[in-house]
Amino acid sequence: MNIFRSATSYVYNIIPSFQEDEDETDNMSSQQTHPSGIPSDPPPSYEASQPASKPHPKPLPPSLPVLVSLRKKRVILASASPRRKQIIAFLGLPNLEIIPSNTAENLPKTLTPFEYVLETATEKGLAVYKQEIDNEVKGEPALILAADTIVVNPETGDILEKPHSEAEHISMLQGLRDAEDHKVYTAIVAIAPLESAQAPGYALESVVEETTVRFDPQITDELLLMYVRTREGADKAGGYGMQGLGSVLVEKINGSYDNVIGLPLRATLKLIEKIMTIAEEDAEIDHGALADDG
């Protein structure tokens, strides 16, 4: 049996003849006939079988009560980092303002890494708080968030912030490569004004997150130089960006990934819940005291 010929015969059986009259042609076009004589439905078109793809909708912001409440209030991120802004955007705070602190990051390096990063973030947050608490146009903020990230070389104990030159940048990355592991610390500070105005007039809570990072020890100096000249890591603590090309330098991490980028979101959300609970409890006490006085 010739399968090609058989298939051709079948095609001829289901295609109407050009000599058929118009009515019969219309009938055949809407209902084709199988060789068995049983009418069959017309095959679906390619358009029907491949529906047009729709763009994925943006995820809805989390509906946690503390975030829902803050969406109606003024919230400040005291950082110029575009990476921190991108991360905190996941919380869906429409009134978020970016107001970087002008505080000089020049604390003595004799402090422990934990002390250094925490004090730096605290100074940033308090500087913006003092600047904005009496803002007559926008009103006082409900929440101020500040953060600082440092990288520490465990072999030397050096606190590595942003490199100041190409030579320093290369040396910094070589040191991280030659060390087995290094630590990344991010301190987050949350400040909320208190209605009771009890000294110092605000609540302040903080947390420090630690992540261990290991560079690939097989990285060559040539690759490090290539990376340095991309300038990607020039504005980052430790001289590399985990979220970009700098990921080629990293063999593994132990801990929070977004901590290495500059803002651990899970820890930040927990801190927001904690500080806003304190502020709400203070407001309830203050309102109760006013009612008693009345």
Side-chain angles (χ1 to χ4, degrees), residues 9-235:
S9 300
Y10 171 69
V11 171
Y12 284 145
N13 282 335
I14 65 172
I15 297 179
S17 168
F18 289 112
Q19 282 74 32
E20 292 171 337
D21 61 38
E22 185 175 349
D23 291 340
E24 188 174 354
T25 302
D26 290 342
N27 182 60
M28 288 293 292
S29 63
S30 62
Q31 195 174 51
Q32 297 169 348
T33 304
H34 190 273
S36 64
I38 301 174
S40 60
D41 294 329
S45 66
Y46 283 107
E47 289 75 12
S49 62
Q50 298 178 0
S53 60
K54 296 180 180 179
H56 292 292
K58 287 185 178 180
L60 296 174
S63 57
L64 295 174
V66 65
L67 296 180
V68 172
S69 173
L70 283 173
R71 285 178 191 133
K72 305 172 185 177
K73 300 175 181 178
R74 189 177 178 216
V75 180
I76 296 174
L77 176 63
S79 173
S81 167
R83 295 165 294 281
R84 292 191 181 118
K85 179 182 177 182
Q86 185 178 31
I87 292 171
I88 204 168
F90 290 119
L91 299 183
L93 300 173
N95 296 321
L96 180 71
E97 298 176 43
I98 306 300
I99 303 180
S101 167
N102 295 321
T103 303
E105 300 179 24
N106 57 0
L107 292 174
K109 298 296 193 294
T110 53
L111 295 172
T112 66
F114 186 96
E115 293 170 335
Y116 182 90
V117 73
L118 181 56
E119 288 191 28
T120 301
T122 302
E123 287 189 358
K124 289 179 179 180
L126 288 175
V128 174
Y129 169 83
K130 293 173 183 177
Q131 173 186 318
E132 295 297 321
I133 191 62
D134 295 321
N135 190 314
E136 296 181 357
V137 177
K138 297 181 179 180
E140 69 177 29
L143 174 67
I144 295 173
L145 293 170
D148 189 59
T149 300
I150 59 171
V151 177
V152 179
N153 186 327
E155 288 192 347
T156 63
D158 291 339
I159 295 174
L160 308 177
E161 293 184 305
K162 302 169 185 176
H164 298 98
S165 67
E166 183 175 288
E168 182 185 4
H169 198 172
I170 294 171
S171 176
M172 187 180 291
L173 294 178
Q174 287 173 331
L176 294 178
R177 174 199 61 191
D178 297 339
E180 286 192 2
D181 298 307
H182 62 272
K183 303 285 187 180
V184 178
Y185 297 91
T186 296
I188 314 155
V189 171
I191 302 173
L194 298 178
E195 287 193 22
S196 64
Q198 292 183 359
Y202 58 83
L204 187 152
E205 294 292 329
S206 61
V207 66
V208 178
E209 192 90 356
E210 174 186 319
T211 300
T212 302
V213 182
R214 174 174 294 180
F215 272 17
D216 182 349
Q218 303 301 318
I219 294 171
T220 64
D221 287 345
E222 288 76 17
L223 179 58
L224 292 180
L225 179 60
M226 177 277 296
Y227 178 71
V228 166
R229 288 181 173 169
T230 67
R231 305 284 295 168
E232 179 189 75
D235 64 340

